[in-house]
Amino acid sequence: MNKVTMIDLNNARQAKQHLTDAIGALQKLTVQAVGRSENHEKITSFKTWLSELASTADTIITQGQNQYNERPKELIQAANTRLHKIPDEILLRQKKSQFATEAYEAQVFDLKHKGFNSGQIAKIVDDPGSEIERNKTEIIELETEHKQILAFLADVPVFNIELLKNTSLYPKTEIEVA
């Protein structure tokens, strides 16, 4: 059987509730109320069909609950922990870029006031551009990882591990580890 998604689970729960209500209402109808036994037999047949639908909904609900009970708890905990660390890592890289820019500008300013020209300054002070670009790239990667972890955590009751691909949490295979 396929994995039950949260949409499947919610639909099954809603269907089960409405079907139970409908079956309960139909059970109150008597032969006298519908006028003929043929009509009552049709209602009974319809109730049986509705009961089968309710049973299918029960199966989906049970499977969803089983999936949830068998969820990868340690991976979910690790995902929650990682999710809360990523904003700090992004902020750190932003601050590193800001610091590198400010340090560069301060050095250039100081050297200009000491009489150095642009060519001389370029030879003395390293341009922080490559560090800033590296930080920007890492920030983009961290933001992507953040989105992927959120998608994984929202994928209840499935918790599809493939949603963590290309993140630090994705389980390594034997070949990748070696």
Side-chain angles (χ1 to χ4, degrees), residues 86-99:
I86 289 175
D88 289 338
E89 290 184 27
I90 289 172
L91 183 61
L92 176 64
R93 281 156 182 83
Q94 290 169 337
K95 292 294 183 185
K96 280 182 176 181
S97 291
Q98 180 183 356
F99 176 73

Side-chain angles (χ1 to χ4, degrees), residues 69-86:
N69 292 341
E70 295 170 10
R71 70 196 179 277
K73 294 174 187 149
E74 289 161 7
L75 186 56
I76 292 168
Q77 180 59 43
N80 276 312
T81 300
R82 179 75 181 131
L83 187 70
H84 290 82
K85 288 182 178 180
I86 289 175

Side-chain angles (χ1 to χ4, degrees), residues 72 75-76 78-79 145-153 159-171:
L75 186 56
I76 292 168
E145 182 177 12
H146 192 266
K147 289 176 188 172
Q148 288 176 272
I149 293 170
L150 283 174
F152 169 74
L153 292 173
F159 294 104
N160 182 356
I161 294 173
E162 290 300 309
L163 293 170
L164 295 174
K165 200 164 194 140
N166 301 319
T167 71
S168 61
L169 297 171
Y170 191 71

